[in-house]
Amino acid sequence: HATAPRSSRAPARRLTLLSRAYCHLCDDMRAALVPLLARRGIDLVEIDVDTDPQLEAQFGERVPVLLAGDVESGHELCHYVLDPQRVRDAL
């Protein structure tokens, strides 16, 4: 049977949080995500940009960054401060 093509904006089943250690904005975004993701079955993957030279070069001081999807194919939902409506829309 044929399946419908997936939209590039299909509901996200995974969010990726790009963060770094000792980042209070990262801590704030992580804490704000918890109630949004509770009971939704969404995976949250957190990556420390300082452990990957390419990510550090790409995102530099612009963390935290929240992506719908993964680093390679995801799209940015917000950075610095959580945008709850954009996250809900992506889910």
Side-chain angles (χ1 to χ4, degrees), residues 51-79:
T51 64
D52 183 322
Q54 184 177 358
L55 289 177
E56 207 285 324
Q58 182 177 355
F59 293 98
E61 297 302 315
R62 196 172 59 100
V63 293
V65 177
L66 185 64
L67 305 171
D70 58 28
V71 172
E72 293 80 28
S73 62
H75 65 276
E76 183 176 322
L77 295 176
C78 51
H79 63 273

Side-chain angles (χ1 to χ4, degrees), residues 12-73:
R13 302 310 307 158
R14 167 184 290 177
L15 297 179
T16 301
L17 177 60
L18 302 177
S19 64
R20 61 172 31 104
Y22 309 110
C23 166
H24 73 91
L25 291 176
C26 301
D27 296 338
D28 292 348
M29 187 176 289
R30 185 182 313 105
L33 279 167
V34 170
L36 281 176
L37 301 183
R39 297 182 306 276
R40 288 185 187 243
I42 305 299
D43 293 328
L44 178 63
V45 176
E46 189 167 352
I47 300 173
D48 184 333
V49 297
D50 294 329
T51 64
D52 183 322
Q54 184 177 358
L55 289 177
E56 207 285 324
Q58 182 177 355
F59 293 98
E61 297 302 315
R62 196 172 59 100
V63 293
V65 177
L66 185 64
L67 305 171
D70 58 28
V71 172
E72 293 80 28
S73 62

